[in-house]
């Protein structure tokens, strides 16, 4: 069964898992909507109008946090020794189980939660309050260009330094071809959490946070050492053309985007497949 794939059995696997998990999906989406309503109510109390940038960032942040936690709620028992036995003996191949997990965690859940949250935001714009929301942020969640335009507009309002503005515009131009819409980014960012959820049997969230903290510490140390070496090199070579520095930074950022957006999520899902295949119950 591990090496087989049947489209009908795949559909039945997704249908069966949705039947088991739809209440968890709806509850998680309900939490997202309640958090957004609470933030809206606090903004009304404060009495200040909320910019489109703030709303887009708030919505993307809430969706990202709950979306990354979703694998721990939806597939918390599938790799445990006792609870996961029925998952292990289900008439589906490893590939079909992995695809079903991908569809439910990274397609259905992000799409449904984003559409409902954007619908709630649109309803809130109709409320006749002085500090109520205005405008639409639908495009910010479904279009990478609209989201980057919104974020960049907010940055330009806060920064008037010519060099910073020039660098921001050049970074923006280099990001456009590689960027993905926030809803796609939400789905891609789940890959690491899906893998860690299937990797750890107990204390999944705690071990995941410790793992991510360790990775973050290592990344910070590497970044600090690289920055020190970079600036030492600049001091030793004061005649370096600033244009070359811009090109180095943009190239480095492009490489980081390609790795984090495309290579890393694919690698995590491949590792998840092999993890499901090799789980010993």
């Amino acid at each position: 069964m591990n090496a087989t794939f049947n489209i009908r059995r795949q559909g039945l696997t997704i249908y069966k898992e949705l039947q088991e998990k739809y209440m968890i999906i709806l509850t998680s989406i309900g939490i997202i909507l309640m958090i957004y309503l609470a933030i809206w109510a606090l903004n009304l109390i404060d009495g200040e109008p909320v910019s489109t940038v703030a709303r887009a960032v708030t919505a993307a942040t809430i969706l990202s946090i709950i979306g990354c936690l979703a694998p721990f709620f939806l597939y918390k028992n599938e790799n445990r020794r006792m609870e996961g036995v029925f998952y292990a003996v289900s008439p589906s191949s490893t590939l079909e189980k992995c695809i079903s997990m991908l569809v439910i965690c990274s397609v259905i859940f992000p799409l449904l939660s984003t559409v409902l949250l954007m619908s709630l935001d649109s309803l809130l714009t109709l409320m006749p309050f002085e500090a109520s929301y205005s405008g639409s942020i639908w495009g910010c969640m479904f279009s990478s260009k609209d989201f980057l335009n919104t974020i960049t507009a907010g940055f330009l309002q806060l920064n008037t330094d010519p060099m910073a503005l020039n660098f921001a515009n050049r970074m923006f131009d280099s990001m456009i071809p590689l960027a993905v819409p926030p809803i796609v980014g939400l789905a891609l960012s789940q890959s690491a959490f899906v893998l860690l959820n299937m990797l750890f049997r107990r204390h999944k969230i705690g071990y995941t946070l410790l793992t991510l903290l360790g990775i973050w510490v290592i990344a910070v140390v590497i970044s600090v050492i690289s920055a020190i070496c970079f600036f030492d090199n600049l001091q030793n070579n004061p005649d370096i053309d600033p244009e070359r520095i811009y090109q180095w930074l943009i190239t480095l950022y492009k490489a980081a985007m390609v790795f984090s957006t495309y290579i890393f999520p694919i690698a995590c899902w491949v590792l998840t497949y092999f993890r499901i295949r090799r789980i010993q119950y």
Side-chain angles (χ1 to χ4, degrees), residues 127-197:
M127 298 297 175
F129 297 109
E130 182 178 351
S132 185
Y133 295 167
S134 61
S136 173
I137 60 172
W138 277 84
C140 293
M141 297 305 299
F142 290 91
S143 168
S144 57
K145 187 173 183 180
D146 287 350
F147 185 77
L148 290 174
N149 276 326
T150 302
I151 300 300
T152 304
F155 173 80
L156 296 178
Q157 292 175 357
L158 298 174
N159 202 321
T160 57
D161 181 69
M163 292 186 63
L165 294 178
N166 179 50
F167 183 68
N169 288 327
R170 296 182 65 174
M171 290 292 287
F172 175 81
D173 293 337
S174 65
M175 288 165 60
I176 286 295
L178 300 173
V180 296
I183 185 172
V184 178
L186 169 62
L188 294 174
S189 65
Q190 285 185 328
S191 58
F193 294 87
V194 172
L195 173 60
L196 292 172
N197 173 64

Side-chain angles (χ1 to χ4, degrees), residues 32-134:
I32 293 174
L33 300 182
M34 293 300 293
I35 292 174
Y36 200 74
L37 277 173
I39 294 174
W40 173 75
L42 290 174
N43 289 330
L44 287 183
I45 295 174
D46 185 58
E48 294 292 331
V50 182
S51 66
T52 305
V53 178
R55 287 163 52 208
V57 171
T58 299
T61 302
I62 295 173
L63 288 168
S64 297
I65 294 174
I66 303 298
C68 289
L69 292 175
F72 301 105
F73 305 144
L74 294 173
Y75 290 92
K76 62 181 180 179
N77 294 322
E78 273 69 8
N79 66 334
R80 290 178 174 171
R81 297 189 186 279
M82 296 297 294
E83 300 93 330
V85 172
F86 291 106
Y87 185 72
V89 300
S90 63
S92 303
S93 67
T94 302
L95 179 60
E96 290 162 352
K97 292 176 182 177
C98 192
I99 292 176
S100 179
M101 191 179 296
L102 171 66
V103 170
I104 293 174
C105 265
S106 298
V107 178
I108 294 177
F109 181 83
L111 183 60
L112 186 59
S113 57
T114 301
V115 168
L116 291 178
L117 183 59
M118 294 302 98
S119 300
L120 175 62
D121 182 84
S122 297
L123 288 176
L124 294 178
T125 60
L126 303 177
M127 298 297 175
F129 297 109
E130 182 178 351
S132 185
Y133 295 167
S134 61

Side-chain angles (χ1 to χ4, degrees), residues 211-230:
T211 301
L212 295 178
L213 178 61
I215 295 174
W216 178 79
V217 170
I218 294 172
V220 168
V221 171
I222 294 175
S223 299
V224 170
I225 294 174
S226 301
I228 292 173
C229 295
F230 178 75

